[in-house]
Amino acid sequence: MKAKVYVTLKKSIADPQGFAIKGALNKMGYGKIEDVRIGKLIELDLGDVTKEEADEQLKTMCEKLLANTVIEQYEYEILV
Amino acid sequence: MKAKVYVTLKKSIADPQGFAIKGALNKMGYGKIEDVRIGKLIELDLGDVTKEEADEQLKTMCEKLLANTVIEQYEYEILV
């Protein structure tokens, strides 16, 4: 069972990395770019588990390890 | 026009960060996990551009700045 987790900074949190990349893209000539935000993509092979187990495990993994829920939010999708 | 870019290491490239997280998850009791790979999620607001312009811009941005195409691969989706 495979899954993808998307961890991003909460909207209220400044993203200096995204800001720096926006500046670089603007210099490359993409002046219309209004915002760039950087997050993490985590691809997991959960092994031999059911969809229900995968759902439960992913929630706990995100809450405990993969996301810092003080400043980050997360989403995940289970790939059948 | 908004878009999401997913940058991941090519399969042939080792991912020490993913390996370390796999170890931590195994210690948390998720022994069945077979693989963890870490990538970048880049969320962009491209401003007032057409879908065709967005597609062209994203390809160039990825090739020139957002992805190191020697060791990374990328995908992107344009969100209408």
Side-chain angles (χ1 to χ4, degrees):
Chain A
M1 183 78 67
K2 299 202 174 182
K4 287 186 177 181
V5 175
Y6 307 96
V7 179
T8 54
L9 288 169
K10 290 181 178 175
K11 289 290 171 242
S12 57
I13 305 291
D15 180 0
Q17 196 181 358
F19 189 75
I21 289 177
K22 176 181 178 298
L25 291 171
N26 288 156
K27 276 195 194 107
M28 279 170 65
Y30 301 111
K32 287 186 180 174
I33 290 188
E34 294 178 11
D35 194 27
V36 178
R37 305 248 331 152
I38 309 300
K40 283 178 283 190
L41 161 61
I42 304 166
E43 297 174 305
L44 300 116
D45 183 342
L46 298 170
D48 181 24
V49 292
T50 65
K51 202 155 189 264
E52 291 67 32
E53 284 170 335
D55 195 67
E56 212 181 292
Q57 288 182 8
L58 284 164
K59 191 162 176 9
T60 313
M61 289 179 207
C62 288
E63 294 282 334
K64 287 195 176 167
L65 182 73
L66 302 178
N68 171 353
T69 51
V70 174
I71 60 167
E72 293 174 329
Q73 57 202 16
Y74 63 86
E75 290 172 39
Y76 56 79
E77 60 180 320
I78 297 168
L79 315 169
V80 188
Chain B
M1 181 79 66
K2 300 203 174 185
K4 287 186 177 182
V5 175
Y6 307 96
V7 179
T8 53
L9 287 170
K10 290 181 178 176
K11 291 289 171 244
S12 56
I13 305 292
D15 180 0
Q17 194 182 357
F19 188 76
I21 289 177
K22 176 181 178 297
L25 291 171
N26 288 157
K27 276 198 197 103
M28 279 170 66
Y30 301 112
K32 287 186 178 175
I33 290 189
E34 294 179 11
D35 194 28
V36 178
R37 306 270 302 172
I38 309 300
K40 282 178 284 193
L41 161 62
I42 304 165
E43 297 175 304
L44 300 118
D45 183 341
L46 298 169
D48 182 23
V49 290
T50 65
K51 200 155 189 265
E52 291 68 31
E53 285 170 333
D55 194 67
E56 213 180 294
Q57 290 183 7
L58 284 164
K59 192 161 179 355
T60 314
M61 289 179 207
C62 287
E63 295 282 333
K64 287 194 174 168
L65 182 73
L66 302 178
N68 172 352
T69 52
V70 173
I71 60 167
E72 293 174 327
Q73 58 203 13
Y74 63 86
E75 292 170 40
Y76 57 77
E77 59 180 318
I78 297 168
L79 315 169
V80 187

